[in-house]
Amino acid sequence: MNMTTANTARLLITCEDKPGIVQAVSSFLYHQGANITALDQYATAAQGGRYFMRVEFELDSLQSRKENLTQTFAANVAERYEMQWRLALVSDVKKVGILVSKVDHALLELLWRHARGGLPCEITKVVSNHETLRESVENFGIPFEVVPVTKDNKREAYAQIDELMQGNDLLVLARYMQILDEEFVQKWEMKVINIHHSFLPAFVGANPYKQAHEKGVKLIGATAHYVTADLDQGPIIEQDVERVNHDFTVEQLRDLGQDVERNVLARAVKWHLEDRIIVDGNKTVVFQ
């Protein structure tokens, strides 16, 4: 950790849009001696809408001043504008757990980027319902656990996974081919990111690329989203598509689709780690 990282924080704010918010926040930080290095904002309407802000700033001795800074901001700014807000220190490295089944493309992309310093986090462990990827994971020096999941042991299995993942700030489903237990999802509300293919029309089942080929699709894509109790209906973080045509075989569709999946998931995870996402109901505001 360098000194810049140690003294850098991010402030995320949501509130009703009113005059004076930017001035109030920037003035508060100025009087604290902070230097604003990035400021992004968004309002849902010209007047009377919802307001969203992300501010990144540097402040000397930030670690020791965090508690006082938080209390003072709450009393002097947040209460006045009835803000929902959070302050994140860059030096507080987020811990991430990964769930995976047998397919490795999304998992290996995350592990590779993390090893190269592209994901600012600590990957604590990978949990799978199969042994298949143990060697691939352990080659990165990351613990690998197997928790079999069947229709008869789901509650017990997810209780075990919940225990294994305690202490993590985020869970990532890197093509984990199981439907999460509802109680598990509630415990990890807005702390689980999933990736899945997305076609028009939407194909479900074990072989969506074969179905897509048979229907002659012209676009394939992927969607990364937060997991909610409603299957694949959580707030969308990132999406991407690639154009295809009649020349593509099933294998070519699958290869291209997996490329899209791995990159979409990696971007979504990175933006979460960098505190770029504000969830607003079933939508997200993503500051890039």
Side-chain angles (χ1 to χ4, degrees), residues 11-29 39-42 49-55 69-87 278-280:
L11 182 62
L12 279 76
I13 296 168
T14 307
C15 62
E16 182 183 345
D17 193 10
K18 298 177 182 178
I21 295 173
V22 176
Q23 191 276 334
V25 174
S26 57
S27 178
F28 169 82
L29 292 173
L39 192 155
D40 296 287
Q41 59 180 330
Y42 167 68
R50 296 281 289 166
Y51 180 79
F52 306 87
M53 176 188 277
R54 178 187 185 271
V55 186
L69 188 75
T70 301
Q71 293 174 351
T72 308
F73 181 81
N76 294 351
V77 182
E79 289 183 14
R80 191 194 331 166
Y81 289 96
E82 299 180 308
M83 293 175 172
Q84 296 174 295
W85 64 282
R86 63 183 175 90
L87 180 70
I278 299 176
V279 177
D280 181 39

Side-chain angles (χ1 to χ4, degrees), residues 192-245:
V192 183
I193 294 177
N194 189 25
I195 184 70
H196 62 79
H197 59 79
S198 53
F199 300 106
L200 187 63
F203 300 119
V204 298
N207 201 338
Y209 291 99
K210 182 174 184 294
Q211 297 175 58
H213 183 264
E214 291 170 350
K215 288 288 187 179
V217 300
K218 301 299 183 279
L219 290 172
I220 61 171
T223 298
H225 64 94
Y226 288 112
V227 174
T228 62
D230 296 324
L231 184 63
D232 293 339
Q233 299 296 312
I236 293 171
I237 302 169
E238 170 66 337
Q239 294 178 295
D240 204 355
V241 295
E242 290 283 353
R243 182 165 292 279
V244 296
N245 61 37

Side-chain angles (χ1 to χ4, degrees), residues 10-285:
R10 299 164 184 143
L11 182 62
L12 279 76
I13 296 168
T14 307
C15 62
E16 182 183 345
D17 193 10
K18 298 177 182 178
I21 295 173
V22 176
Q23 191 276 334
V25 174
S26 57
S27 178
F28 169 82
L29 292 173
Y30 169 77
H31 285 102
Q32 294 293 320
N35 180 42
I36 295 174
T37 55
L39 192 155
D40 296 287
Q41 59 180 330
Y42 167 68
T44 59
Q47 291 185 345
R50 296 281 289 166
Y51 180 79
F52 306 87
M53 176 188 277
R54 178 187 185 271
V55 186
E56 188 167 295
F57 63 90
E58 294 184 11
L59 179 63
D60 290 341
S61 305
L62 182 58
Q63 284 280 358
S64 61
R65 298 178 62 181
K66 179 184 178 183
E67 184 176 352
N68 179 260
L69 188 75
T70 301
Q71 293 174 351
T72 308
F73 181 81
N76 294 351
V77 182
E79 289 183 14
R80 191 194 331 166
Y81 289 96
E82 299 180 308
M83 293 175 172
Q84 296 174 295
W85 64 282
R86 63 183 175 90
L87 180 70
L89 272 58
V90 174
S91 58
D92 293 339
V93 178
K94 294 179 177 64
K95 295 183 177 182
V96 177
I98 301 176
L99 292 167
V100 68
S101 289
K102 293 182 176 181
V103 179
D104 65 0
H105 63 281
L107 167 72
L108 293 181
E109 183 70 24
L110 295 175
L111 297 182
W112 182 82
R113 292 195 186 207
H114 176 260
R116 300 275 295 186
L119 290 178
C121 68
E122 175 191 348
I123 297 179
T124 61
K125 61 173 59 70
V126 174
V127 174
S128 179
N129 54 328
H130 299 282
E131 280 281 352
T132 310
L133 299 176
R134 178 180 292 279
E135 183 177 356
S136 296
V137 172
E138 291 180 344
N139 282 342
F140 282 89
I142 294 172
F144 183 86
E145 304 276 356
V146 174
V147 180
V149 180
T150 68
K151 61 182 178 60
D152 298 319
N153 79 334
K154 280 204 168 188
R155 183 172 293 275
E156 295 80 6
Y158 284 111
Q160 183 180 350
I161 293 171
D162 178 60
E163 184 176 350
L164 286 169
M165 291 300 189
Q166 286 302 306
N168 285 310
D169 302 290
L170 176 70
L171 302 184
V172 182
L173 308 186
R175 299 303 286 156
Y176 183 63
M177 308 306 291
Q178 294 287 328
I179 297 175
L180 298 182
D181 176 73
E182 186 172 339
E183 183 178 340
F184 181 91
V185 172
Q186 290 173 350
K187 285 184 179 180
W188 292 86
E189 184 178 12
M190 297 304 159
K191 293 182 178 180
V192 183
I193 294 177
N194 189 25
I195 184 70
H196 62 79
H197 59 79
S198 53
F199 300 106
L200 187 63
F203 300 119
V204 298
N207 201 338
Y209 291 99
K210 182 174 184 294
Q211 297 175 58
H213 183 264
E214 291 170 350
K215 288 288 187 179
V217 300
K218 301 299 183 279
L219 290 172
I220 61 171
T223 298
H225 64 94
Y226 288 112
V227 174
T228 62
D230 296 324
L231 184 63
D232 293 339
Q233 299 296 312
I236 293 171
I237 302 169
E238 170 66 337
Q239 294 178 295
D240 204 355
V241 295
E242 290 283 353
R243 182 165 292 279
V244 296
N245 61 37
H246 58 273
D247 285 336
F248 279 70
T249 65
V250 174
E251 290 72 23
Q252 288 172 324
L253 289 176
R254 182 179 294 109
D255 288 345
L256 184 58
Q258 289 182 351
D259 277 344
V260 180
E261 288 176 18
R262 76 177 89 214
N263 288 313
V264 167
L265 180 61
R267 289 198 294 269
V269 171
K270 188 171 189 288
W271 294 340
H272 179 99
L273 296 174
E274 293 176 345
D275 305 297
R276 296 185 180 277
I277 307 168
I278 299 176
V279 177
D280 181 39
N282 202 47
K283 298 174 67 176
T284 61
V285 174

